[in-house]
């Protein structure tokens, strides 16, 4: 079981009294997953709510023709229910808390503030999913890649004037799959940005030196 005190480091639990956390989460199961390991599969039983304590998980659909469609990326503090046919893959070493659905339901009723926090988290996840879908349908490849970087930068909550470091945890092939492109195209895209001095690529990380340019190029032409 994850130490209860550690849960307060997550926005979802930061305002919950320790007694409430102990009451509902002291007996929850935890599972650890290595990078690239499957976290959940399609048809997963809905007995538990998955809370990502640490790491990063890609939620995606897979089709018989080999095509994959990324729905969203779960960050620490996000929750997920296995009621869809989506798959989950760890993009980094991850730890997941399995919360019984009934306990989760009782907590939502007992603590309205927690319910509002959950709605906010789910809203962010849904917005991310809609952005991905919209990007795939309406944007050209380069625009999709700029929007991908822009969204990652925003998720760090550090997008001021200084350089932004994003823990990527994705190969160029995986990014290509996410934006419906190829590894070669993604590789060329990042190489060009590095030549411009806009970004620097490191092992499993991306450093953005000029967020304003990324934001401008990610913007829809109609805006």
């Amino acid at each position: 079981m994850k130490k209860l005190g550690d849960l307060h480091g997550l926005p979802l639990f930061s305002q919950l009294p320790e007694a409430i956390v102990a009451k509902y989460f002291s007996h929850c199961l935890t599972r650890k997953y290595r990078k690239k390991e499957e976290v959940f599969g399609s048809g997963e039983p809905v007995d538990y709510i998955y809370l990502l304590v640490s790491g990063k998980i890609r939620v995606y659909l897979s089709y018989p023709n080999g095509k994959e469609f990324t729905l969203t990326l779960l960050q620490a503090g996000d929750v997920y229910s296995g009621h869809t046919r989506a798959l989950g893959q760890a993009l980094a070493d991850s730890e997941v808390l399995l919360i019984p659905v009934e306990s989760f339901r009782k907590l939502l009723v007992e603590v309205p503030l927690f319910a509002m926090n959950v709605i906010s988290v789910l809203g962010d996840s849904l917005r991310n999913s809609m952005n991905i879908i919209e990007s795939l349908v309406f944007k050209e490849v380069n625009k999709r890649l700029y929007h991908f970087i822009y969204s990652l930068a925003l998720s760090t909550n550090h997008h001021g004037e200084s350089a932004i470091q994003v823990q990527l945890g994705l190969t160029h092939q995986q990014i290509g799959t996410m934006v419906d492109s190829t590894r070669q195209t993604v590789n060329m895209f990042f190489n060009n940005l590095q030549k411009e001095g806009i970004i620097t690529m490191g092992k499993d990380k991306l450093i953005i030196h000029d967020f304003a340019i990324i934001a401008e190029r990610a913007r829809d032409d109609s805006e």
Side-chain angles (χ1 to χ4, degrees):
M1 168 62 207
K2 186 74 175 174
K3 292 181 181 179
L4 296 178
D6 294 344
L7 294 180
H8 280 101
L10 302 175
L12 193 61
F13 297 89
S14 60
Q15 300 181 54
L16 287 183
E18 291 186 7
I20 292 294
V21 174
K23 176 181 178 181
Y24 286 99
F25 302 108
S26 59
H27 301 294
C28 290
L29 301 174
T30 58
R31 290 180 182 170
K32 293 184 178 181
Y33 300 90
R34 305 288 294 179
K35 183 178 179 180
K36 297 184 179 180
E37 189 176 353
E38 181 181 283
V39 179
F40 48 81
S42 59
E44 195 80 7
V46 292
D47 300 332
Y48 297 98
I49 298 294
Y50 299 84
L51 167 68
L52 183 57
V53 178
S54 63
K56 182 183 295 184
I57 294 174
R58 178 172 72 106
V59 180
Y60 68 102
L61 298 174
S62 181
Y63 298 92
N65 63 1
K67 277 277 192 178
E68 294 181 356
F69 181 80
T70 297
L71 296 171
T72 190
L73 295 178
L74 301 179
Q75 310 280 353
D78 287 342
V79 292
Y80 177 80
S81 173
H83 65 282
T84 70
R85 62 184 184 88
L87 309 172
Q89 180 191 39
L91 297 180
D93 291 349
S94 302
E95 183 170 2
V96 177
L97 184 68
L98 277 66
I99 308 171
V101 170
E102 187 57 32
S103 295
F104 198 77
R105 183 182 296 115
K106 290 179 179 179
L107 177 59
L108 293 176
V109 173
E110 182 174 338
V111 187
L113 178 60
F114 181 74
M116 296 302 297
N117 289 344
V118 170
I119 290 173
S120 177
V121 168
L122 294 178
D124 288 342
S125 182
L126 178 59
R127 180 166 55 251
N128 187 27
S129 297
M130 295 304 295
N131 285 340
I132 291 173
I133 294 170
E134 182 183 63
S135 178
L136 288 173
V137 173
F138 296 111
K139 292 180 171 63
E140 296 182 353
V141 173
N142 271 17
K143 186 73 76 171
R144 295 201 294 268
L145 285 165
Y146 278 119
H147 193 270
F148 171 77
I149 298 174
Y150 175 76
S151 298
L152 285 179
L154 289 183
S155 70
T156 66
N157 295 319
H158 297 289
H159 43 276
E161 297 180 357
S162 59
I164 304 169
Q165 181 169 304
V166 178
Q167 294 302 316
L168 200 56
L170 295 165
T171 66
H172 287 182
Q173 180 63 57
Q174 289 172 321
I175 295 173
T177 299
M178 291 177 64
V179 301
D180 195 24
S181 185
T182 64
R183 179 187 60 79
Q184 292 83 355
T185 298
V186 173
N187 187 57
M188 184 181 300
F189 174 82
F190 282 126
N191 284 341
N192 288 337
L193 283 185
Q194 287 197 99
K195 290 177 182 177
E196 290 185 72
I198 297 172
I199 68 168
T200 298
M201 297 293 295
K203 182 175 175 58
D204 289 335
K205 68 181 179 182
L206 170 70
I207 300 174
I208 303 173
H209 302 292
D210 197 328
F211 177 76
I213 289 181
I214 295 295
E216 178 62 29
R217 294 181 181 178
R219 195 190 318 276
D220 292 332
D221 296 333
S222 59
E223 292 181 358

